[in-house]
Amino acid sequence: MSIALPAPDISRAITRIAHEICERNSGSQLVTLLGIPTRGAHLAQRLAAEIESITGNSVECGTLDITMHRDDLRLRAPRALAPTSIPPLGVEDRHVVLVDDVLFSGRTIRAALDALGEVGRPKTVQLAVLVDRGHRQLPIKADYVGKNLPTSPQQIIKVHLSELDGVDEVLLEEVAG
Amino acid sequence: MRHLLSIADLTKSDALSILNTAETLSRASDGPMKKLPTLRGRTIVNLFAEDSTRTRISFEAAAKRLSADVINFSAKGSSLSKGESLKDTAQTLQAMGADAVIIRHSASGAAHTLAQGQWMSGSVINAGDGTHEHPSQALLDAFTIRKHCAHGNDDLTGLRIAIVGDILHSRVARSNVLLLSMLGAHVVLVAPPTLLPIGVESWPVTISYDLDSVIESVDAVIMLRIQIERMTEMYLPSAGEYARFYGLNLDRLARMKTQSIVMHPGPMNRGLEISSESADSARSVIVEQVKNGVSVRMAILYLLLAGNQDLEVSL
Amino acid sequence: MSEKLFIKNGTLVDGSKANIHISDGVITAMDTADGVLNDERVIDAKDCILLPGLVDLHTHLREPGKESAETVLSGSQAAAKGGYVAVSAMANTTPVADNASVVEHVFRLGQKAGLVDVFPIGAVTQGLGGVNLADIGAMANSEAQVRVFSDDGHCVSDALVMRHALEYVKGFNGVIAQHAQEPALTKGSQMNEGIVSSQLGLKGWPAIAEEAIIARDILLADFLQARLHICHVTTAGGVEIIRWAKARGIQVTAEVTPHHLLLTDELARSYDAVYKVNPPLRTERDVMALREALAEGVIDIVATDHAPHGTESKECEWQEAAFGMIGLETALPIVNQTMVQTGLMNWEQVAMRMSKAPARIGQYYQHGRDLEVGSPAHITVMNPTATYRVDRDLVASRSRNTPFHGRELPGIITTTIFDGRVTFERSK
């Protein structure tokens, strides 16, 4: 097990992504951040705070649970649902930035696009992730990446955030055997 | 959890996970309710061997919102009313590939018999069996009570809930006694002695024969439907006497606590166990119960059918 | 075709060792020496108890009318396998055994089968309707010589009808066997009324529905100086009333079934209708009272109430299912488990409750005799310490509705001898 991303790097990545989002969307007035629970939701809140400190304006931020749209439900034990909360201005004609911790197969984002389609029709949908570990199974690409982390499919990435885990770090674990 | 047969089979955490899932689903549906793809390709059979339009359409709406294919199999004109055995019906449904059977039946234990007969592999959901249980109704009642009375708590600790009426013949009462007490509520059963079962003193409840002495202290009151047959079967002298002693009228309604609510599983006998004014009052959450019923049943279907039940539950 | 038999190394109910020589249906010699005679077939009864052949006073053989569930022949085979040499065929057949021709028909079927004596029980009322007396005298006078009358399955609930029935059979020392169940209190009843029935939402069957009739009939029997037999007592309260009656010298006898000595209403929680029976399984407290009463002799006999039903009558919703359990093949092991192994009774008492007393009540004079020289050779040989697992697919009965399926029971019946012939022998 090794630390792939220590706390200062995580902090810097978030700051950088916040800047990139503002730059690309000409500020944050039309931006809606939607975090994918659980850790994506916390990252979205951090991004929102960062964007606010950059622009001085509040930014729309909510959560989007994608559980009911997953294509692997039958492969796992029953999962608890997480809340979806769409901010007051909705998603119509907004630049929606989906926020997640790790981009891997791309299936979660596929489900998120479906879930988002049930809510409304944004002007654009963008994707921000803390870590892109490769091994995509679908034609999906992130717009904002904290760190590209080359991995083997057998390795496990663990993201810890202080809100949940008491510490900020990204760990890379080798599977035993 | 493969089947939902009885509240007695649930742990408190099972029950809370159903309520929490329903809560999430109901908040999502506050906006325009769209279909979720979760149970696409799954076949759910509504096997209703006894008339019950509201429970059937509630389960049907829940299943359809989760994109399941729903087959309705009702008593009238079905093979069950022609004397076909439950076993043959189950084998037929198995052959058709039913992933779940929602069964309403006049015989107590029919859902157990269907689930334990090893005639079919799908999930069995008890939608009311005789005078035994009606678990989904109890779950939607608990959901409604929690929403209005629990002050943000997860469970119902400290709440006083009265169930009034024909406890003896009520599957709603049996399921509610088990569930509400498991969730920490204090349940008071209010009924004339003829309509209380033998052995009720072993239930986790308080018994009262006097609605007036109970009504002022409860957070929620669940009024049960009284069947007209109970008069001819000599459980009660007359409908009028029942309404006078056990009906929820304006006078009793006025004496209820300020934040308390009035519930009824339906269908109501207006003017008998509940006056029209009470049923339509601001305290009444009877219509909301119907709405909550869909969310709770979606949660039940999701938790029973969406995941792989052979794997450990990680809720 | 009577055989000569030699039973060696057996143990009699008093604990003494015995070798028994049998010829022409009679016990011809008993000694302690192991001296087999010429042409004798040897039955090794090492480790086995030798009981006087068991007599059942309460059996449903279903013929005529429901031969798919049981016939006189298949029921006789089940009886022999269970160590019985005589059974009493209840009257609730189709047509009802309420006249001489039906009881003679059943009697002859029993003789034809030749495995046990089949003594028909006559109905008390026509068609078990509870209104008009059946042809009681004609049945008593028939070839079947009926002495026991019962509407079993139905209660003779009308007090006047019961009074007249009790009086009428005094003319030939008959006995009325009452199925004690007040109908108004048990309309639609499914199981014992109590904590379990209330939780399961199954309509309750109160103990007092049984006790009220027992009390009434005991008072009638006292008043009329008549003989009364109470079928399948199931409640502690019923036991108390019978104890009181016996202390007063009232001519009442009573029976208990093996299943009521072991099983309780808790089993209904499975909603498995194999546990649905009339009268219903009661509580642990009742079971203990019944065991005590049987040991004391307040309850005189064990009777099986063997009630075969086809699978379709049991594999369904509880309230749609038929009442009844088969019991002939498991009765003696259950009594061994509940009464002997618990120390409540010895083997002499078992012989009394399962052979001598039922024969006396039914007036089956060739049965229930001590095993001694000159007695008819009706003998049940059982190894009381060996155990076996009940398998409903291996029963001799045509029906498989045994509530003991899968249970390990103590007591293997190795040989049944009826009228000097081996009617059952367990394959080694």
Side-chain angles (χ1 to χ4, degrees):
Chain A
M1 187 176 65
S2 61
I3 296 179
L5 215 55
D9 290 10
I10 292 175
S11 171
R12 270 195 296 278
I14 288 170
T15 308
R16 177 168 51 75
I17 292 173
H19 279 283
E20 287 173 9
I21 289 172
C22 294
E23 197 171 317
R24 172 151 170 194
N25 297 293
S26 316
S28 64
Q29 288 87 350
L30 291 177
V31 170
T32 296
L33 301 172
L34 288 180
I36 297 171
T38 310
R39 287 177 179 73
H42 293 287
L43 289 172
Q45 277 171 7
R46 293 196 193 183
L47 276 173
E50 199 66 42
I51 290 171
E52 281 170 33
S53 74
I54 296 166
T55 64
N57 298 318
S58 69
V59 63
E60 293 265 295
C61 181
T63 59
L64 182 69
D65 183 50
I66 55 98
T67 309
M68 303 290 263
H69 296 268
R70 297 188 79 101
D71 62 5
D72 62 350
L73 283 169
R74 295 185 73 168
L75 304 178
R76 312 272 196 95
R79 294 160 177 265
L81 299 184
T84 287
S85 69
I86 302 299
L89 297 178
V91 300
E92 292 289 326
D93 293 326
R94 308 278 301 172
H95 296 297
V96 169
V97 180
L98 298 172
V99 182
D100 204 1
D101 51 358
V102 178
L103 180 59
F104 188 17
S105 68
R107 289 177 188 271
T108 299
I109 304 308
R110 198 277 312 155
L113 291 170
D114 279 0
L116 187 57
E118 300 290 333
V119 181
R121 186 178 181 282
K123 190 186 272 296
T124 64
V125 182
Q126 302 161 24
L127 174 61
V129 298
L130 182 61
V131 172
D132 182 349
R133 62 169 295 188
H135 307 288
R136 213 76 75 242
Q137 293 167 358
L138 295 172
I140 281 170
K141 182 174 173 294
D143 301 274
Y144 316 100
V145 178
K147 182 167 171 81
N148 283 299
L149 210 56
T151 57
S152 78
Q154 287 74 38
Q155 286 174 316
I156 293 172
I157 296 277
K158 277 196 176 154
V159 175
H160 289 159
L161 296 179
S162 57
E163 294 93 326
L164 294 169
D165 312 299
V167 61
D168 276 1
E169 62 187 6
V170 176
L171 302 177
L172 182 61
E173 284 183 14
E174 300 294 334
V175 172
Chain B
M1 209 169 43
R2 164 160 256 120
H3 307 296
L4 179 61
L5 305 177
S6 160
I7 294 293
D9 300 337
L10 299 180
T11 62
K12 184 173 176 181
S13 92
D14 290 335
L16 287 177
S17 85
I18 293 170
L19 299 189
N20 294 341
T21 303
E23 177 106 37
T24 307
L25 288 166
S26 83
R27 267 195 258 116
S29 66
D30 280 347
M33 185 63 206
K34 300 262 177 61
K35 261 193 173 187
L36 294 164
T38 317
L39 297 181
R40 196 182 286 149
R42 305 298 204 95
T43 300
I44 294 175
V45 175
N46 264 327
L47 177 61
F48 274 58
E50 187 184 75
D51 277 345
S52 168
T53 310
R54 60 179 57 219
T55 305
R56 182 179 63 72
I57 62 177
S58 180
F59 268 113
E60 185 171 351
K64 285 184 167 165
R65 283 188 191 173
L66 295 172
S67 303
D69 296 318
V70 180
I71 299 173
N72 283 313
F73 193 149
S74 296
K76 285 222 168 63
S78 82
S79 46
L80 273 181
S81 62
K82 291 176 200 149
E84 180 177 321
S85 75
L86 202 55
K87 179 178 174 177
D88 291 333
T89 304
Q91 288 174 338
T92 302
L93 299 178
Q94 171 72 11
M96 287 176 178
D99 294 293
V101 176
I102 297 162
I103 179 174
R104 162 65 68 96
H105 201 291
S106 59
S108 297
H112 281 76
T113 304
L114 189 62
Q116 285 158 12
Q118 303 189 335
W119 306 314
M120 47 172 281
S121 57
S123 294
V124 175
I125 297 169
N126 183 2
D129 62 327
T131 55
H132 176 226
E133 279 215 43
H134 193 348
S136 65
Q137 177 72 43
L139 286 159
L140 80 87
D141 288 345
F143 181 87
T144 306
I145 294 167
R146 185 171 83 162
K147 202 166 164 190
H148 284 271
C149 311
H151 312 296
N153 289 340
D154 220 20
D155 65 9
L156 308 180
T157 300
L159 298 180
R160 248 177 104 77
I161 300 158
I163 305 176
V164 184
D166 187 358
I167 310 295
L168 179 63
H169 298 95
S170 175
R171 51 193 170 213
V172 174
R174 279 176 182 73
S175 287
N176 262 317
V177 165
L178 292 172
L179 181 62
L180 300 179
S181 61
M182 178 164 70
L183 294 176
H186 181 110
V187 179
V188 187
L189 300 180
V190 185
T194 45
L195 293 179
L196 286 165
I198 290 287
V200 73
E201 60 282 355
S202 70
W203 294 12
V205 297
T206 305
I207 307 292
S208 173
Y209 306 138
D210 179 13
L211 181 56
D212 287 312
S213 69
V214 169
I215 195 74
E216 290 170 5
S217 64
V218 298
D219 299 287
V221 59
I222 299 173
M223 304 303 297
L224 299 174
R225 178 181 171 82
I226 186 88
Q227 307 278 354
I228 304 302
E229 301 92 270
R230 302 298 170 238
M231 319 303 162
T232 52
E233 291 162 349
M234 285 184 296
Y235 287 99
L236 297 167
S238 70
E241 184 161 318
Y242 181 80
R244 190 154 64 250
F245 288 108
Y246 296 99
L248 186 65
N249 53 29
L250 270 181
D251 170 48
R252 292 188 174 115
L253 188 75
R255 289 163 48 212
M256 290 180 71
K257 286 180 5 187
T258 44
Q259 295 300 316
S260 58
I261 56 172
V262 171
M263 301 166 71
H264 193 298
M268 289 182 278
N269 289 307
R270 286 175 184 259
L272 186 44
E273 72 268 5
I274 188 166
S275 70
S276 254
E277 295 81 2
S278 303
D280 299 334
S281 74
R283 289 196 191 295
S284 167
V285 295
I286 294 168
V287 177
E288 192 197 318
Q289 283 175 274
V290 177
K291 178 169 178 283
N292 293 341
V294 177
S295 302
V296 167
R297 288 172 177 125
M298 284 174 76
I300 292 167
L301 293 174
Y302 168 70
L303 291 170
L304 284 183
L305 296 181
N308 184 337
Q309 295 293 339
D310 295 331
L311 298 175
E312 188 139 330
V313 183
S314 60
L315 290 171
Chain C
M1 53 172 276
S2 176
E3 301 178 82
K4 291 187 193 324
L5 303 174
F6 176 57
I7 306 173
K8 69 169 189 179
N9 297 328
T11 304
L12 295 175
V13 293
D14 64 3
S16 62
K17 298 284 174 196
N19 297 303
I20 300 180
H21 297 274
I22 294 165
S23 177
D24 294 324
V26 176
I27 296 175
T28 51
M30 290 177 69
D31 52 53
T32 50
D34 179 5
V36 60
L37 304 175
N38 281 344
D39 346 319
E40 276 185 341
R41 175 173 162 196
V42 177
I43 294 161
D44 187 356
K46 185 170 174 293
D47 302 327
C48 290
I49 291 283
L50 305 179
L51 290 160
L54 306 185
V55 176
D56 191 19
L57 201 63
H58 192 146
T59 326
H60 296 274
L61 295 178
R62 301 292 185 228
E63 190 177 2
K66 194 74 180 170
E67 289 82 356
S68 59
E70 196 80 287
T71 62
V72 171
L73 176 59
S74 67
S76 296
Q77 287 164 339
K81 192 177 170 193
Y84 282 90
V85 294
V87 298
S88 309
M90 273 297 173
N92 62 340
T93 48
T94 312
V96 172
D98 59 2
N99 59 72
S101 63
V102 175
V103 293
E104 287 188 345
H105 174 64
V106 172
F107 182 69
R108 285 177 196 146
L109 286 171
Q111 293 203 310
K112 192 172 155 212
L115 296 168
V116 292
D117 272 325
V118 174
F119 297 111
I121 288 177
V124 177
T125 63
Q126 288 174 25
L128 309 176
V131 179
N132 299 306
L133 291 182
D135 296 349
I136 289 175
M139 290 189 277
N141 268 339
S142 73
E143 191 184 340
Q145 295 186 54
V146 178
R147 289 294 177 275
V148 183
F149 297 86
S150 180
D151 276 0
D152 183 64
H154 301 268
C155 180
V156 182
S157 62
D158 185 306
L160 184 62
V161 174
M162 189 61 183
R163 173 195 172 144
H164 285 156
L166 285 166
E167 283 179 313
Y168 194 78
V169 299
K170 282 167 71 177
F172 47 87
N173 196 26
V175 63
I176 302 295
Q178 173 69 295
H179 174 120
Q181 179 191 352
E182 166 55 50
L185 290 173
T186 52
K187 210 167 147 194
S189 293
Q190 298 293 321
M191 66 172 292
N192 178 51
E193 181 162 8
I195 288 171
V196 182
S197 69
S198 294
Q199 288 175 355
L200 296 184
L202 289 172
K203 190 148 192 306
W205 186 313
I208 49 115
E210 182 171 328
E211 293 154 5
I213 294 293
I214 293 175
R216 182 201 72 180
D217 288 354
I218 280 173
L219 296 177
L220 276 173
D222 188 21
F223 172 58
L224 302 167
Q225 293 296 296
R227 281 178 68 202
L228 169 69
H229 179 72
I230 308 291
C231 296
H232 40 48
V233 177
T234 66
T235 74
V239 165
E240 278 313 302
I241 298 166
I242 295 163
R243 182 178 281 124
W244 173 85
K246 288 197 161 179
R248 297 248 308 194
I250 298 169
Q251 297 178 74
V252 59
T253 53
E255 73 191 32
V256 62
T257 72
H259 46 272
H260 289 112
L261 288 173
L262 182 63
L263 309 178
T264 70
D265 61 352
E266 289 289 331
L267 291 163
R269 291 188 189 278
S270 64
Y271 287 104
D272 185 341
V274 79
Y275 301 115
K276 180 174 174 179
V277 64
N278 175 354
L281 300 177
R282 303 286 187 184
T283 67
E284 185 74 20
R285 181 177 155 265
D286 295 302
V287 166
M288 291 306 153
L290 292 169
R291 290 185 186 182
E292 194 189 325
L294 182 65
E296 272 180 69
V298 169
I299 292 175
D300 303 80
I301 66 170
V302 174
T304 65
D305 196 4
H306 176 81
H309 288 289
T311 303
E312 69 284 356
S313 307
K314 288 291 188 180
E315 260 191 358
C316 57
E317 302 88 319
W318 180 287
Q319 73 181 39
E320 305 301 323
F323 289 100
M325 309 169 159
I326 58 172
L328 282 168
E329 296 166 58
T330 46
L332 186 53
I334 299 286
V335 170
N336 184 22
Q337 180 182 338
T338 59
M339 304 301 298
V340 182
Q341 294 194 339
T342 54
L344 290 167
M345 289 195 337
N346 58 33
W347 290 108
E348 284 180 301
Q349 288 169 300
V350 172
M352 180 60 76
R353 308 286 188 268
M354 298 187 76
S355 177
K356 292 182 188 179
R360 190 188 69 230
I361 295 166
Q363 297 170 63
Y364 308 153
Y365 297 115
Q366 293 305 304
H367 290 277
R369 305 263 290 267
D370 281 324
L371 298 185
E372 56 194 20
V373 174
S375 289
H378 303 313
I379 304 174
T380 302
V381 184
M382 182 186 70
N383 182 333
T385 52
T387 65
Y388 77 108
R389 189 169 296 280
V390 180
D391 184 341
R392 63 185 167 213
D393 295 324
L394 300 178
V395 297
S397 169
R398 264 198 192 180
S399 294
R400 44 209 291 289
N401 55 311
T402 171
F404 306 113
H405 175 69
R407 281 182 193 252
E408 186 89 12
L409 295 183
I412 292 182
I413 294 138
T414 58
T415 311
T416 306
I417 296 164
F418 164 63
D419 211 14
R421 288 178 291 118
V422 174
T423 50
F424 170 77
E425 188 163 29
R426 187 181 168 86
S427 48
K428 295 278 175 341

